[in-house]
Amino acid sequence: MNHEAKIIQQARENSNAAILKADAAGVAQYWMDDIVVISGEGGQYAGKKVLLEVFKDMFRNDPPVFERLPSEITIGDSGVLAWETGKWNYKTEKFRGNYSAMWRKIKGKWLTQSELFVSLD
């Protein structure tokens, strides 16, 4: 795994750790302002502000614990875009599936531009 892919993998690990602590801001630090997420059941969320509120609400009462486990991270030839794919699962519920994420390097920092989750329960 090259250096840039390791940076993205560390960001994902940090994001998973923030979820474990129910720290919405810790998760959001890796999102672009215009992030787009399709959740496992097909819900659509556009924008960091909207998604941050979703996470705050989710963490407010009996926060779920889930993680994303990358199986592949590919850095584009330009060094600006990256593709991540892997599996996701809840540790507190019976939901699981596959995901992919698009990362963009902005001012030297990798941020998530979009994520697609597919539930496979």
Side-chain angles (χ1 to χ4, degrees), residues 8-34:
I8 291 172
Q9 182 168 351
Q10 184 62 58
R12 183 59 75 200
E13 290 172 11
N14 294 345
S15 178
N16 285 340
I19 290 168
L20 190 60
K21 295 186 286 187
D23 176 9
V27 180
Q29 71 178 311
Y30 298 103
W31 299 338
M32 289 180 55
D33 288 342
D34 61 351

Short mmCIF file of all heavy atoms in Angstrom, two decimals, residues 8-34:
data_model
loop_
_atom_site.label_atom_id
_atom_site.label_comp_id
_atom_site.label_asym_id
_atom_site.label_seq_id
_atom_site.Cartn_x
_atom_site.Cartn_y
_atom_site.Cartn_z
N ILE A 8 -5.29 7.58 3.85
CA ILE A 8 -6.74 7.38 3.78
C ILE A 8 -7.16 6.26 4.74
O ILE A 8 -8.16 6.40 5.45
CB ILE A 8 -7.19 7.08 2.33
CG1 ILE A 8 -7.02 8.35 1.48
CG2 ILE A 8 -8.62 6.57 2.29
CD1 ILE A 8 -7.23 8.15 0.01
N GLN A 9 -6.39 5.18 4.80
CA GLN A 9 -6.72 4.09 5.72
C GLN A 9 -6.69 4.59 7.16
O GLN A 9 -7.57 4.26 7.96
CB GLN A 9 -5.76 2.92 5.55
CG GLN A 9 -6.12 1.77 6.46
CD GLN A 9 -5.38 0.50 6.13
OE1 GLN A 9 -4.70 0.40 5.12
NE2 GLN A 9 -5.52 -0.48 6.99
N GLN A 10 -5.72 5.43 7.51
CA GLN A 10 -5.66 5.98 8.87
C GLN A 10 -6.85 6.89 9.13
O GLN A 10 -7.42 6.88 10.23
CB GLN A 10 -4.35 6.75 9.08
CG GLN A 10 -4.18 7.26 10.49
CD GLN A 10 -4.13 6.14 11.52
OE1 GLN A 10 -3.28 5.26 11.44
NE2 GLN A 10 -5.04 6.16 12.48
N ALA A 11 -7.25 7.68 8.13
CA ALA A 11 -8.43 8.54 8.29
C ALA A 11 -9.68 7.69 8.55
O ALA A 11 -10.50 8.03 9.41
CB ALA A 11 -8.63 9.40 7.04
N ARG A 12 -9.79 6.56 7.85
CA ARG A 12 -10.93 5.67 8.06
C ARG A 12 -10.90 5.08 9.47
O ARG A 12 -11.91 5.01 10.15
CB ARG A 12 -10.94 4.56 7.00
CG ARG A 12 -12.11 3.65 7.10
CD ARG A 12 -13.44 4.36 6.97
NE ARG A 12 -13.71 4.74 5.61
CZ ARG A 12 -14.58 5.69 5.28
NH1 ARG A 12 -15.25 6.36 6.20
NH2 ARG A 12 -14.79 6.00 4.03
N GLU A 13 -9.72 4.68 9.92
CA GLU A 13 -9.59 4.15 11.28
C GLU A 13 -9.95 5.21 12.32
O GLU A 13 -10.64 4.91 13.30
CB GLU A 13 -8.17 3.62 11.51
CG GLU A 13 -7.88 2.36 10.74
CD GLU A 13 -6.41 1.93 10.80
OE1 GLU A 13 -5.64 2.48 11.61
OE2 GLU A 13 -6.04 1.02 10.02
N ASN A 14 -9.52 6.44 12.09
CA ASN A 14 -9.87 7.54 13.00
C ASN A 14 -11.38 7.79 13.00
O ASN A 14 -11.96 8.06 14.05
CB ASN A 14 -9.13 8.82 12.61
CG ASN A 14 -7.63 8.71 12.81
OD1 ASN A 14 -7.13 7.81 13.46
ND2 ASN A 14 -6.90 9.63 12.19
N SER A 15 -11.99 7.73 11.82
CA SER A 15 -13.43 7.91 11.71
C SER A 15 -14.17 6.81 12.47
O SER A 15 -15.13 7.07 13.20
CB SER A 15 -13.82 7.93 10.23
OG SER A 15 -15.21 8.05 10.08
N ASN A 16 -13.73 5.57 12.32
CA ASN A 16 -14.33 4.46 13.06
C ASN A 16 -14.19 4.66 14.56
O ASN A 16 -15.13 4.39 15.33
CB ASN A 16 -13.70 3.13 12.66
CG ASN A 16 -14.15 2.64 11.29
OD1 ASN A 16 -15.18 3.05 10.77
ND2 ASN A 16 -13.36 1.76 10.70
N ALA A 17 -13.03 5.15 15.00
CA ALA A 17 -12.81 5.41 16.43
C ALA A 17 -13.75 6.51 16.93
O ALA A 17 -14.27 6.43 18.05
CB ALA A 17 -11.36 5.79 16.68
N ALA A 18 -14.00 7.53 16.09
CA ALA A 18 -14.92 8.61 16.47
C ALA A 18 -16.34 8.07 16.60
O ALA A 18 -17.08 8.48 17.50
CB ALA A 18 -14.85 9.75 15.44
N ILE A 19 -16.73 7.16 15.73
CA ILE A 19 -18.06 6.54 15.82
C ILE A 19 -18.17 5.77 17.13
O ILE A 19 -19.19 5.87 17.82
CB ILE A 19 -18.32 5.62 14.61
CG1 ILE A 19 -18.51 6.47 13.35
CG2 ILE A 19 -19.54 4.73 14.85
CD1 ILE A 19 -18.49 5.70 12.05
N LEU A 20 -17.14 5.05 17.50
CA LEU A 20 -17.14 4.30 18.75
C LEU A 20 -17.35 5.21 19.95
O LEU A 20 -17.98 4.83 20.93
CB LEU A 20 -15.82 3.53 18.88
CG LEU A 20 -15.70 2.51 19.98
CD1 LEU A 20 -16.74 1.41 19.85
CD2 LEU A 20 -14.30 1.90 19.99
N LYS A 21 -16.85 6.45 19.85
CA LYS A 21 -16.99 7.43 20.94
C LYS A 21 -18.23 8.32 20.77
O LYS A 21 -18.43 9.25 21.54
CB LYS A 21 -15.75 8.33 21.01
CG LYS A 21 -14.49 7.59 21.40
CD LYS A 21 -13.32 8.53 21.59
CE LYS A 21 -12.82 9.03 20.26
NZ LYS A 21 -11.59 9.81 20.33
N ALA A 22 -19.06 8.05 19.74
CA ALA A 22 -20.23 8.87 19.43
C ALA A 22 -19.84 10.33 19.23
O ALA A 22 -20.52 11.25 19.67
CB ALA A 22 -21.31 8.73 20.51
N ASP A 23 -18.75 10.55 18.53
CA ASP A 23 -18.18 11.88 18.27
C ASP A 23 -18.48 12.29 16.83
O ASP A 23 -17.70 11.99 15.92
CB ASP A 23 -16.68 11.84 18.54
CG ASP A 23 -15.95 13.12 18.21
OD1 ASP A 23 -16.61 14.14 17.91
OD2 ASP A 23 -14.70 13.10 18.25
N ALA A 24 -19.60 12.95 16.63
CA ALA A 24 -20.03 13.34 15.27
C ALA A 24 -19.01 14.25 14.60
O ALA A 24 -18.70 14.09 13.42
CB ALA A 24 -21.40 13.99 15.31
N ALA A 25 -18.47 15.22 15.33
CA ALA A 25 -17.48 16.14 14.76
C ALA A 25 -16.22 15.40 14.34
O ALA A 25 -15.59 15.73 13.34
CB ALA A 25 -17.15 17.25 15.75
N GLY A 26 -15.85 14.37 15.10
CA GLY A 26 -14.69 13.56 14.76
C GLY A 26 -14.86 12.82 13.46
O GLY A 26 -13.91 12.66 12.69
N VAL A 27 -16.08 12.37 13.19
CA VAL A 27 -16.37 11.70 11.92
C VAL A 27 -16.38 12.73 10.80
O VAL A 27 -15.80 12.54 9.73
CB VAL A 27 -17.72 10.95 11.97
CG1 VAL A 27 -18.01 10.26 10.65
CG2 VAL A 27 -17.74 9.95 13.11
N ALA A 28 -17.03 13.86 11.04
CA ALA A 28 -17.24 14.89 10.02
C ALA A 28 -15.95 15.58 9.56
O ALA A 28 -15.92 16.16 8.48
CB ALA A 28 -18.22 15.95 10.53
N GLN A 29 -14.89 15.49 10.34
CA GLN A 29 -13.65 16.16 9.95
C GLN A 29 -13.08 15.60 8.64
O GLN A 29 -12.24 16.23 8.00
CB GLN A 29 -12.61 16.06 11.06
CG GLN A 29 -12.03 14.67 11.26
CD GLN A 29 -10.98 14.62 12.33
OE1 GLN A 29 -10.06 15.44 12.34
NE2 GLN A 29 -11.13 13.68 13.25
N TYR A 30 -13.54 14.43 8.22
CA TYR A 30 -13.04 13.81 6.99
C TYR A 30 -14.01 13.98 5.81
O TYR A 30 -13.84 13.34 4.78
CB TYR A 30 -12.76 12.31 7.23
CG TYR A 30 -11.71 12.12 8.27
CD1 TYR A 30 -12.03 11.73 9.57
CD2 TYR A 30 -10.37 12.36 7.97
CE1 TYR A 30 -11.05 11.58 10.53
CE2 TYR A 30 -9.38 12.21 8.93
CZ TYR A 30 -9.73 11.82 10.21
OH TYR A 30 -8.76 11.68 11.18
N TRP A 31 -15.02 14.83 5.95
CA TRP A 31 -16.00 15.05 4.89
C TRP A 31 -15.77 16.37 4.17
O TRP A 31 -15.48 17.38 4.79
CB TRP A 31 -17.41 15.11 5.46
CG TRP A 31 -17.89 13.89 6.16
CD1 TRP A 31 -17.45 12.61 6.03
CD2 TRP A 31 -18.94 13.85 7.13
NE1 TRP A 31 -18.16 11.77 6.85
CE2 TRP A 31 -19.08 12.51 7.53
CE3 TRP A 31 -19.78 14.82 7.68
CZ2 TRP A 31 -20.02 12.11 8.47
CZ3 TRP A 31 -20.70 14.42 8.61
CH2 TRP A 31 -20.83 13.09 9.00
N MET A 32 -15.99 16.37 2.86
CA MET A 32 -16.05 17.62 2.11
C MET A 32 -17.36 18.31 2.46
O MET A 32 -18.31 17.67 2.91
CB MET A 32 -15.99 17.34 0.60
CG MET A 32 -14.62 16.88 0.14
SD MET A 32 -14.53 16.56 -1.65
CE MET A 32 -15.10 18.11 -2.33
N ASP A 33 -17.43 19.61 2.26
CA ASP A 33 -18.66 20.36 2.57
C ASP A 33 -19.85 19.87 1.75
O ASP A 33 -20.97 19.90 2.21
CB ASP A 33 -18.46 21.86 2.33
CG ASP A 33 -17.57 22.49 3.40
OD1 ASP A 33 -17.39 21.89 4.48
OD2 ASP A 33 -17.04 23.59 3.13
N ASP A 34 -19.58 19.38 0.52
CA ASP A 34 -20.68 18.95 -0.35
C ASP A 34 -20.76 17.41 -0.46
O ASP A 34 -21.23 16.88 -1.46
CB ASP A 34 -20.56 19.58 -1.74
CG ASP A 34 -19.27 19.20 -2.46
OD1 ASP A 34 -18.37 18.57 -1.84
OD2 ASP A 34 -19.16 19.52 -3.66
#
